[in-house]
Amino acid sequence: MEMLNIFIRSIFIDNMVFAFFFGMCSYIAVSKSVKTALGLGAAVTFVMVMTVPLNYLLYQFVLKSGALVWAGFPEVNLSFLSFIVFIATIAAFVQLVEMIVEKFSPTLYSQLGIFLPLIAVNCAIMGGSLFMQQKVDAMQLTSVWESVIYGLGSGLGWWLAIVMMAAIREKTTYSHIPAALKGPGIAFIITGLMGIAFMIFSGIQF
Amino acid sequence: MSKMEKEPLFSAKNLKYLTGPFSANNPVIVQILGICSALAVTVQLKPAIVMALSVTVVTAFSNLVMSLLRNGVPARIRIIVQLVVIAALVILVDQVLKAYLYEVSKQLSVYVGLIITNCIVMGRIEAFALANKPWPALLDGIGNGLGYGLILVVVAFFRELLGSGSLLGYPIVPESWYIAEGGFYSNCGLMLFPPMALIIVGCIIWVHRSRNKDLQEK
């Protein structure tokens, strides 16, 4: 039940885009066609499912105050290093994924080519890890499986948002939008309205 | 500018790096960068101003450092070098905020850490600092940080004024106007929710682009 709650919550209620504005830059830039949005969303979800648990383990067993008990340093608190460790994990992981994809599936690589390096600086990924840290401190995430579920849910929420946005933007290509609002202006307003619609999910619990 | 040197510190060209990002080349509403953190911290004016200053410091110094290092870093590993420089600066900012502005730093929560992945910082390094001398790079960093801050402050101004009836925590709407006191006015609670920040930015883009016709899309 706890797992299901975390899952539903991270997709709908704490949606990365609508509730926290994470990953807005690529969300606005890449949501012009549904096909590319699907590709980027899949890549972001995958990276998130992997990096959130990795960073969870690093935080739980190395960085947190009192985490180094197993190594004989119960007094050490390295949590001020968490930013640099998280971003290093993410950048290294993205690099690794890029090399693996390039080696084993050149077609997928050429499809995702531009997006893969962009993922390293997608705030949704870093945001996922930072929220994970906050939730660990607040005792809301207590096991590595919950962090996997949290990463998966957050990634899927972002994926859902960018695909919905791309579908709407494809439809608005032929609409009469005031010249000054075309492009990013109307994209922001649509996202805002979608966010208001998503507010109906708040309070869902199992 | 009084002494006519070879290249004065504030020559017209250098000054343009500083002021360009305020309007014509604004990072948020024209380059569409760094929106993630721009919106989340704008419920009140005070955290927005602190956030704007933090981002300005990080952009300015990361631009300066990367511009100094630009000939020594091989292109293949530059992303990771940039991330290390930015992350080190953000950790410094975070520790300073925690030490001197603890309340605001609690309000900003994860968004301080997110300056690392703020596309403005990375984008300006890639687009400007790696190809320019340290002094213009520093000015460009300060300009972009302030341009970002400008949007933050405008959004936060409207959200705090309409959502809480105050500015910087000081009440602006007279107490007697409220319905509870027998008046006619009540705050717009929707302004405090995330979606309204997006709509306000959309409206700012609308106003800005109707005044700058060359920015409009086709």
Side-chain angles (χ1 to χ4, degrees):
Chain A
M1 270 304 112
E2 195 52 42
M3 297 264 191
L4 189 64
N5 254 337
I6 293 176
F7 189 59
I8 299 289
R9 218 188 144 75
S10 54
I11 296 184
F12 294 108
I13 305 170
D14 290 344
N15 185 291
M16 280 284 165
V17 173
F18 300 128
F20 300 114
F21 319 104
F22 286 167
M24 284 297 291
C25 314
S26 34
Y27 170 85
I28 298 281
V30 189
S31 61
K32 281 179 185 141
S33 91
V34 173
K35 212 174 156 224
T36 46
L38 275 171
L40 182 69
V44 165
T45 309
F46 176 67
V47 173
M48 219 145 156
V49 171
M50 303 307 286
T51 54
V52 171
L54 267 176
N55 282 333
Y56 173 85
L57 292 174
L58 278 169
Y59 186 62
Q60 192 77 333
F61 295 110
V62 182
L63 298 170
K64 209 168 80 168
S65 137
L68 282 171
V69 177
W70 56 271
F73 302 106
E75 308 267 289
V76 178
N77 178 2
L78 291 176
S79 55
F80 69 94
L81 280 178
S82 55
F83 294 167
I84 209 161
V85 170
F86 288 173
I87 196 72
T89 315
I90 292 167
F93 189 79
V94 170
Q95 191 77 57
L96 194 71
V97 170
E98 200 180 343
M99 286 184 330
I100 293 172
V101 173
E102 191 179 10
K103 176 93 182 156
F104 292 104
S105 172
T107 37
L108 183 65
Y109 181 75
S110 60
Q111 275 170 359
L112 284 177
I114 350 145
F115 301 135
L116 275 173
L118 267 182
I119 292 173
V121 285
N122 186 321
C123 353
I125 311 255
M126 183 70 178
S129 288
L130 288 172
F131 270 122
M132 177 276 299
Q133 180 190 10
Q134 235 183 25
K135 282 175 190 290
V136 170
D137 288 341
M139 304 297 283
Q140 285 166 351
L141 281 179
T142 43
S143 74
V144 70
W145 293 114
E146 286 182 6
S147 74
V148 173
I149 295 291
Y150 178 70
L152 179 68
S154 305
L156 286 178
W158 197 85
W159 194 355
L160 179 72
I162 192 170
V163 170
M164 279 165 53
M165 184 65 192
I168 295 178
R169 280 182 88 170
E170 277 188 0
K171 289 278 174 204
T172 56
T173 334
Y174 305 106
S175 313
H176 295 287
I177 300 165
L181 260 181
K182 265 191 186 142
I186 195 72
F188 275 107
I189 294 181
I190 293 172
T191 312
L193 295 176
M194 283 160 77
I196 293 179
F198 261 65
M199 279 163 61
I200 61 166
F201 290 115
S202 57
I204 292 182
Q205 253 188 347
F206 291 95
Chain B
M1 289 266 277
S2 54
K3 272 186 272 174
M4 287 304 287
E5 285 172 11
K6 226 179 191 178
E7 203 187 354
L9 277 186
F10 287 101
S11 62
K13 197 172 116 228
N14 282 346
L15 217 53
K16 212 167 153 246
Y17 293 136
L18 189 64
T19 55
F22 290 170
S23 166
N25 198 20
N26 190 288
V28 180
I29 59 177
V30 179
Q31 305 174 44
I32 317 288
L33 293 175
I35 305 149
C36 333
S37 52
L39 302 176
V41 298
T42 51
V43 176
Q44 284 170 339
L45 209 44
K46 197 174 168 198
I49 292 172
V50 174
M51 185 70 182
L53 290 178
S54 316
V55 170
T56 309
V57 169
V58 175
T59 341
F61 285 102
S62 62
N63 254 5
L64 178 67
V65 171
M66 284 315 294
S67 173
L68 288 170
L69 292 176
R70 72 187 187 282
N71 295 326
V73 180
R76 279 189 71 86
I77 59 157
R78 68 177 196 286
I79 301 274
I80 209 110
V81 175
Q82 288 163 12
L83 282 176
V84 170
V85 170
I86 298 169
L89 284 165
V90 172
I91 290 177
L92 278 180
V93 168
D94 184 45
Q95 298 290 322
V96 169
L97 286 183
K98 273 190 184 142
Y100 294 104
L101 287 165
Y102 189 71
E103 287 303 311
V104 180
S105 126
K106 270 271 165 275
Q107 274 177 310
L108 291 175
S109 73
V110 299
Y111 292 96
V112 179
L114 281 176
I115 300 177
I116 298 175
T117 49
N118 191 317
C119 342
I120 295 178
V121 185
M122 207 66 169
R124 290 327 291 174
I125 291 177
E126 284 281 304
F128 195 87
L130 288 180
N132 284 282
K133 292 212 173 80
W135 175 244
L138 179 68
L139 287 181
D140 181 79
I142 296 176
N144 275 286
L146 292 178
Y148 163 91
L150 189 67
I151 302 297
L152 239 68
V153 168
V154 172
V155 176
F157 175 82
F158 284 112
R159 284 183 81 186
E160 192 176 352
L161 184 63
L162 299 176
S164 320
S166 60
L167 284 177
L168 282 169
Y170 297 105
I172 297 289
V173 178
E175 197 70 24
S176 56
W177 283 17
Y178 284 106
I179 290 174
E181 303 285 322
F184 57 92
Y185 184 83
S186 79
N187 288 324
C188 175
L190 192 61
M191 277 289 167
L192 302 177
F193 286 103
M196 283 316 287
L198 291 163
I199 293 177
I200 293 177
V201 172
C203 294
I204 294 176
I205 293 180
W206 190 2
V207 173
H208 185 251
R209 295 206 172 177
S210 18
R211 296 172 65 103
N212 299 275
K213 294 233 179 334
D214 49 318
L215 291 173
Q216 292 174 6
E217 287 188 9
K218 47 169 170 75

